[in-house]
């Protein structure tokens, strides 16, 4: 193989590697993943807060039910006294009756309160369940996106590794001076320092090559450059 064709392969492998590395760095999923993670964490917080709310309502209900049971016992005690006939005086009876009535009112109030708390608790549990479902779904989606991202990153990493191998193999068979010239030309002209002849034009700047230059390339002269862009030219093998 011609020297410049090997140089060209080396150059192309390096360019491809650079492109892949840039692609890895800018994988869109990376940004998407970060965003999704944020979203998931927000959902998790909402779920946690819903759970706390439900737990608090549960405790509240228990407190109220305990209170209702306590009041009921009180009322029963008074009623016992009232109906046992132990108490004689009309005034005492009246007082007992008043207490029973008072407690009954409180019981009615507590009963209503308990019903309302139960309703809130039901609503809270429903919302909690809904949130938990959303969270689960979002987490599943996230795992899917992350898996895709990891797979693509791994695939690109493998390609980069293969290119590195190729570059290091070619490296040894190209003179240092030639590589330096290629790189400095690439820096001046953009991307490539060595290009193939395409038909009768330069593969870099696309300008038609003079008959003289073409003849030199075809004649096998080692280093021929484009008169227009100064890039090194080679005739691609069949
Ligand atoms: Zn050119």
């Amino acid at each position: 193989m011609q020297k410049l064709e090997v140089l060209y392969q080396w150059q192309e492998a390096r360019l491809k590697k650079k492109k892949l590395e840039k692609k890895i760095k800018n994988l869109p999923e990376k940004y998407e993943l970060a965003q999704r993670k944020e979203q998931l964490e927000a959902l998790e917080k909402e779920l946690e807060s819903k759970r706390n709310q439900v737990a608090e309502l549960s405790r509240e209900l228990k407190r109220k039910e305990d209170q209702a049971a306590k009041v009921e016992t009180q009322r029963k005690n008074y009623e016992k006294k009232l109906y046992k006939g132990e108490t004689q005086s009309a005034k005492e009876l009246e007082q007992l009756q008043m207490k029973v009535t008072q407690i009954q009112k409180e019981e009615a109030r507590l009963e209503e309160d308990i019903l309302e708390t139960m309703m809130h608790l039901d609503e809270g549990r429903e919302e909690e369940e809904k949130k938990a479902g959303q969270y689960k779904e979002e987490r599943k989606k996230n795992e899917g996106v992350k898996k895709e991202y990891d797979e693509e990153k791994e695939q690109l990493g493998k390609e980069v590794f293969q290119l590195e191998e190729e570059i290091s193999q070619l490296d040894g068979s190209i003179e240092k001076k030639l590589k330096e010239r290629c790189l400095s030309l690439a820096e001046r002209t953009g991307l490539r320092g060595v290009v193939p002849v395409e038909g009768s034009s330069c593969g870099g700047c696309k300008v038609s090559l003079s008959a003289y230059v073409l003849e030199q390339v075809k004649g096998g002269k080692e280093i021929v450059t484009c008169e227009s862009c100064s890039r090194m030219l080679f005739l691609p093998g069949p």
Side-chain angles (χ1 to χ4, degrees):
M1 202 185 292
Q2 306 166 69
K3 218 187 225 180
L4 289 189
E5 200 167 354
V6 178
L7 182 67
Y8 180 74
Q9 280 183 357
W10 174 82
Q11 169 189 267
E12 293 307 298
R14 278 171 58 102
L15 286 173
K16 208 169 161 192
K17 187 185 151 212
K18 232 185 239 175
K19 210 168 146 187
L20 283 180
E21 281 169 342
K22 201 172 161 193
K23 197 173 167 190
I24 292 175
K25 212 175 127 197
N26 296 321
L27 274 176
E29 288 86 346
K30 200 171 156 187
Y31 177 67
E32 201 193 329
L33 268 181
Q35 257 193 336
R36 281 184 165 275
K37 202 178 157 220
E38 228 170 79
Q39 232 173 7
L40 191 67
E41 277 166 2
L43 257 177
E44 198 175 5
K45 254 184 211 155
E46 282 172 39
L47 178 61
E48 178 76 18
S49 136
K50 236 345 129 202
R51 272 186 185 144
N52 287 339
Q53 212 180 326
V54 165
E56 178 50 48
L57 276 169
S58 232
R59 283 193 293 270
E60 198 183 315
L61 182 63
K62 174 84 172 50
R63 271 200 304 273
K64 283 172 182 169
E65 280 170 345
D66 286 350
Q67 175 68 11
K70 211 170 111 192
V71 169
E72 192 190 4
T73 311
Q74 268 177 1
R75 176 177 48 82
K76 279 183 175 157
N77 283 339
Y78 284 127
E79 277 172 347
K80 223 185 268 169
K81 270 190 199 164
L82 191 62
Y83 300 120
K84 231 178 180 178
E86 281 172 357
T87 318
Q88 307 307 333
S89 87
K91 202 181 168 195
E92 260 182 280
L93 281 172
E94 196 185 333
Q95 274 178 347
L96 272 174
Q97 186 59 59
M98 258 170 68
K99 273 185 178 150
V100 168
T101 311
Q102 226 177 22
I103 290 175
Q104 278 170 338
K105 269 187 197 160
E106 201 188 340
E107 279 184 294
R109 189 187 58 76
L110 270 168
E111 182 72 14
E112 215 171 296
D113 207 1
I114 284 170
L115 278 175
E116 202 175 322
T117 309
M118 275 175 159
M119 233 166 62
H120 285 156
L121 188 59
D122 277 350
E123 280 166 11
R125 282 190 176 132
E126 226 169 86
E127 283 166 22
E128 184 196 330
E129 208 174 302
K130 208 170 126 192
K131 244 334 134 207
Q134 277 177 1
Y135 175 73
K136 204 173 150 191
E137 203 178 307
E138 190 61 31
R139 214 173 70 175
K140 214 169 135 191
K141 265 192 220 159
N142 275 16
E143 276 160 11
V145 172
K146 180 152 193 329
K147 198 173 160 229
E148 268 174 43
Y149 169 76
D150 285 343
E151 277 168 6
E152 186 170 4
K153 204 174 149 193
E154 198 192 324
Q155 180 55 36
L156 288 171
K158 265 186 204 159
E159 283 172 41
V160 167
F161 179 75
Q162 277 166 1
L163 284 167
E164 274 166 356
E165 298 258 284
E166 191 185 331
I167 292 164
S168 83
Q169 267 177 14
L170 291 167
D171 240 345
S173 55
I174 309 164
E175 297 151 49
K176 196 169 167 237
K177 261 176 107 174
L178 202 56
K179 283 187 278 193
E180 280 168 1
R181 184 168 173 187
C182 180
L183 290 177
S184 95
L185 266 168
E187 212 170 293
R188 262 194 291 146
T189 58
L191 281 186
R192 291 176 169 86
V194 57
V195 291
V197 172
E198 286 173 358
S200 57
S201 303
C202 164
C205 67
K206 313 292 177 195
V207 166
S208 285
L209 298 165
S210 68
Y212 173 70
V213 167
L214 275 174
E215 209 173 288
Q216 278 187 315
V217 177
K218 282 177 186 159
K221 187 172 181 241
E222 228 172 37
I223 293 177
V224 185
T225 56
C226 168
E227 287 162 314
S228 171
C229 70
S230 311
R231 288 185 177 97
M232 297 182 272
L233 296 163
F234 73 96
L235 206 61

